[in-house]
């Protein structure tokens, strides 16, 4: 075994079932942590068709089958009722959940706001936010600080979102948004047994009632944000950012209309959940992996030190991107997707009836024995340019795929690469204990316990430039 292979780190993974689950254990586990409904067979077989506790379903892990559902016959597969029941109260009219012509219209309107050129324009702003965050840690020249990584990365990505999309018009209330988001994801966005059993909407969901304050917080803050920006547009002093562009955008290929204030608010909430939250969790898992692999950490530090902080230089941070993409493989921000067939179909020789659920689980696909060499190992080399072309496009799905691929994927990757580079320019990242953080599925993939790491000031950086440099 080579030295590189000997140092390969394998993060903790949940135990895998060996027997089918009956209805009550299935409902309990779906509410508590859906990651643990997956059995050993899911990571060995590319298709699993059969009767689940909630009806007939097909789990698709074959990249060809995934491509069929997400791209080739995407019009036949819509977001399932369960996802709309869970997330609909907050995100019903945003890109994440809308369907048909409403979705196509919104996508047309917003696509020009997330072009590579527009995204590149935000790189300098992102870098400034990340540098201020790292400087704010005030890492001592001798000794170290233990940081709540979950909170720090949430604050960092929130500040980036605020600066790039809203010109800091969210009043810097990162802590308030984090508290509300934590409450919503830990209580309100869980899969209620009543939702899973398709109980009538008039029956109260305890989680939704308990998280009502968080939902109101988001709705009130975002509605006020949109109203303030509308007023500034009227007065002609609105800043040139993504929110202004969103309010000014028009459906040039359709009737020329724009988004309503309600649609804008729904999409801002979608950006917070599908952008800020997922990138924060990706950065947290990335730092955890780096803290356990000194070889990779040293490579990244050298690459970060060579970056001149120019937007153009971001593309040269190839190891940073590879490490982040490997972190998203091991800890996909959205661990599972459910689609519902509108008409009868066939996927990989398996019959699908109208109304049947089709499950595509990046958590399973990214760790599947038939798709990856050493699937549970942290091996960022997989995603270096010379190796990446061998990875099937539909075997790596942190941003979904097909027409509904995440509109902000390039934005999120750029943000994560810049943030990681600035952190590693400033700090050594060290694990505190041997205990592994355990992932839990709460819409996004979070750590069951607060993720804490020790950050130590880089001694070579703290000493300053060498004489004559």
């Amino acid at each position: 075994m080579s030295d590189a292979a000997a140092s390969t780190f394998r993060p903790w993974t949940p135990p895998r079932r060996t027997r089918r689950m009956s209805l009550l254990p299935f409902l309990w586990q779906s509410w508590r942590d859906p990651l643990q409904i997956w059995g050993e067979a899911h990571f060995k077989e590319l298709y699993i068709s059969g009767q689940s506790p909630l009806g007939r379903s097909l789990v698709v892990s074959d990249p060809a089958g995934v491509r069929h559902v997400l791209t080739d016959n995407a019009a036949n597969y819509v977001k399932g009722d369960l996802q709309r029941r869970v997330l609909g109260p907050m995100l019903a009219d945003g890109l994440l959940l809308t369907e048909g012509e409403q979705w196509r219209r919104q996508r047309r309107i917003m696509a020009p706001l997330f072009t590579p050129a527009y995204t590149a324009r935000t790189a300098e702003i992102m870098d400034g936010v990340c540098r201020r965050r790292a400087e704010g840690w005030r890492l001592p020249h001798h000794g170290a600080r233990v940081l709540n990584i979950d909170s720090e990365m949430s604050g960092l990505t929130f500040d980036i979102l605020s600066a790039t999309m809203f010109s800091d018009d969210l009043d810097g209330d990162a802590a308030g948004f984090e508290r509300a988001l934590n409450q919503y994801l830990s209580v309100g966005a869980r899969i209620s047994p009543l939702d899973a059993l398709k109980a009538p909407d008039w029956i109260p969901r305890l989680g939704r009632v308990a998280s009502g304050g968080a939902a109101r917080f988001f709705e009130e803050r975002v509605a006020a944000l949109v109203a303030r920006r509308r007023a500034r547009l009227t007065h002609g002093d609105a800043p040139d950012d993504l929110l202004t562009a969103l309010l000014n955008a028009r459906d040039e290929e359709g009737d020329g209309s724009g988004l309503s204030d309600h649609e804008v608010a729904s999409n801002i909430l979608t950006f917070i959940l599908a952008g800020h939250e997922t990138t924060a969790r990706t950065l947290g898992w990335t730092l955890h992996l780096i803290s356990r692999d000194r070889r990779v950490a040293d490579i990244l530090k050298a690459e970060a030190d060579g970056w001149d902080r120019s937007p153009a230089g971001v593309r040269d941070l190839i190891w940073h991107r590879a490490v982040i993409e490997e972190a998203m493989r091991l800890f996909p921000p959205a661990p599972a997707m459910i689609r519902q067939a509108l008409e009868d179909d066939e996927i990989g020789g398996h019959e699908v009836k109208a109304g049947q659920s089709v499950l595509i689980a990046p958590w399973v696909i990214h760790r599947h024995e038939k798709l990856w060499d050493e699937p549970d190992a942290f091996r960022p080399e997989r995603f270096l340019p010379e190796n990446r072309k061998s990875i099937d496009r539909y075997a790596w799905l942190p941003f979904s795929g097909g027409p509904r691929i995440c509109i902000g994927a390039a934005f999120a990757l750029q943000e994560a690469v810049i943030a990681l580079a600035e952190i590693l320019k400033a700090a050594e990242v060290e694990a505190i204990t041997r205990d592994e953080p355990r992932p839990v599925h709460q819409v996004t993939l979070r750590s069951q316990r607060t993720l804490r790491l020790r950050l130590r000031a880089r001694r070579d950086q703290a000493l300053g430039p060498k004489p004559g440099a």
Side-chain angles (χ1 to χ4, degrees):
M1 183 179 291
S2 68
D3 290 341
S7 66
T8 297
F9 171 63
R10 286 172 170 76
W12 182 90
T13 56
R16 295 171 183 172
R17 293 183 301 99
T18 56
R19 288 189 283 184
R20 292 172 60 90
M21 299 178 78
S22 58
L23 178 60
L24 289 179
F26 177 85
L27 292 174
W28 164 249
Q29 197 58 63
S30 296
W31 176 83
R32 185 171 177 269
D33 177 16
L35 278 192
Q36 298 191 38
I37 69 172
W38 303 111
E40 191 67 38
H42 289 105
F43 299 87
K44 296 178 181 296
E45 303 297 331
L46 294 174
Y47 294 93
I48 293 186
S49 177
Q51 197 71 19
S52 77
L54 299 179
R56 190 164 185 82
S57 64
L58 176 66
V59 179
V60 179
S61 298
D62 179 8
V66 174
R67 177 184 177 118
H68 178 84
V69 174
L70 297 183
T71 301
D72 297 339
N73 197 22
N76 189 50
Y77 294 93
V78 297
K79 298 290 181 78
D81 292 336
L82 183 60
Q83 190 170 4
R84 281 195 291 272
R85 283 170 176 260
V86 173
L87 298 177
M90 275 184 59
L91 309 179
D93 291 315
L95 268 179
L96 187 66
L97 295 183
T98 51
E99 299 284 357
E101 182 53 35
Q102 184 184 12
W103 172 81
R104 285 189 288 272
R105 173 177 166 272
Q106 288 194 26
R107 185 83 181 199
R108 286 195 304 266
I109 290 173
M110 284 187 274
L113 311 184
F114 289 93
T115 61
Y118 204 110
T119 298
R121 284 173 49 191
T122 65
E124 191 171 349
I125 299 173
M126 290 177 178
D127 185 53
V129 173
C130 294
R131 291 181 70 177
R132 289 191 294 275
R133 171 69 55 164
E135 291 166 359
W137 291 331
R138 300 187 183 281
L139 301 178
H141 293 330
H142 302 284
R145 287 190 63 192
V146 173
L147 295 182
N148 177 335
I149 295 299
D150 289 334
S151 181
E152 288 295 335
M153 294 305 102
S154 288
L156 173 59
T157 58
F158 180 87
D159 287 347
I160 291 173
L161 184 78
S162 181
T164 55
M165 293 198 68
F166 312 126
S167 298
D168 293 320
D169 203 20
L170 284 173
D171 301 325
D173 191 12
F177 272 84
E178 183 188 359
R179 284 193 299 272
L181 189 60
N182 286 342
Q183 183 186 9
Y184 174 69
L185 291 177
S186 63
V187 181
R190 290 193 178 193
I191 299 174
S192 165
L194 292 172
D195 287 327
L197 293 171
K198 300 181 180 179
D201 290 339
W202 56 263
I203 300 177
R205 274 56 166 174
L206 294 180
R208 217 161 291 160
V209 172
S211 65
R216 285 191 297 276
F217 174 91
F218 282 123
E219 291 165 0
E220 290 170 2
R221 290 301 178 93
V222 170
L225 171 69
V226 173
R228 287 197 304 270
R229 186 58 59 88
R230 285 284 190 198
R232 294 188 68 178
L233 281 169
T234 300
H235 289 94
D237 65 345
D240 181 18
D241 60 12
L242 280 170
L243 177 55
T244 292
L246 198 62
L247 291 168
N248 283 331
R250 294 292 179 269
D251 183 8
E252 303 295 348
E253 297 179 26
D255 60 6
S257 63
L259 298 173
S260 68
D261 284 3
H262 177 67
E263 288 176 314
V264 170
S266 290
N267 279 294
I268 291 172
L269 290 170
T270 299
F271 295 153
I272 290 173
L273 179 62
H276 146 67
E277 161 66 11
T278 54
T279 307
R281 301 291 73 82
T282 291
L283 282 169
W285 291 118
T286 300
L287 292 172
H288 160 61
L289 292 168
I290 293 169
S291 75
R292 303 285 176 152
D293 194 318
R294 182 51 49 195
R295 179 185 66 91
V296 171
D298 288 343
I299 293 170
L300 289 173
K301 285 187 297 182
E303 188 175 77
D305 291 347
W307 176 43
D308 63 1
R309 291 191 167 101
S310 70
V314 174
R315 65 173 175 267
D316 297 325
L317 297 171
I318 59 173
W319 265 92
H320 281 69
R321 184 181 178 112
V323 168
I324 288 164
E325 291 183 337
E326 174 71 342
M328 287 193 289
R329 183 187 72 82
L330 288 168
F331 300 101
M337 296 177 274
I338 302 176
R339 295 291 188 268
Q340 197 167 22
L342 295 176
E343 298 178 359
D344 292 355
D345 195 14
E346 182 180 298
I347 307 172
H350 296 268
E351 184 180 53
V352 175
K353 291 293 186 181
Q356 182 176 328
S357 293
V358 175
L359 281 75
I360 296 172
W363 173 262
V364 173
I365 294 170
H366 290 185
R367 294 170 179 261
H368 203 286
E369 294 180 9
K370 291 187 177 180
L371 301 177
W372 302 91
D373 182 30
E374 294 189 274
D376 291 328
F378 174 52
R379 289 178 48 193
E381 292 90 342
R382 307 175 203 268
F383 289 95
L384 292 176
E386 62 270 24
N387 300 325
R388 203 182 191 290
K389 58 181 177 289
S390 66
I391 298 174
D392 191 294
R393 169 66 191 84
Y394 291 86
W396 185 74
L397 298 161
F399 300 109
S400 188
R404 298 197 74 130
I405 191 169
C406 174
I407 197 171
F411 183 98
L413 272 173
Q414 174 180 281
E415 173 185 10
V417 167
I418 290 172
L420 184 60
E422 285 295 352
I423 291 169
L424 295 180
K425 274 180 177 289
E428 305 274 359
V429 182
E430 302 171 353
I432 299 174
T433 69
R434 292 184 179 181
D435 294 338
E436 284 280 314
R438 301 188 173 194
V440 60
H441 183 178
Q442 294 179 350
V443 180
T444 58
L445 200 64
R446 296 182 139 214
S447 175
Q448 189 176 51
R449 294 183 178 178
T450 301
L451 178 58
R452 297 181 185 276
L453 294 171
R454 181 183 295 112
L455 269 63
R456 191 182 304 277
R458 292 270 306 274
R459 290 189 177 183
D460 48 346
Q461 299 295 323
L463 292 175
K466 295 178 180 179

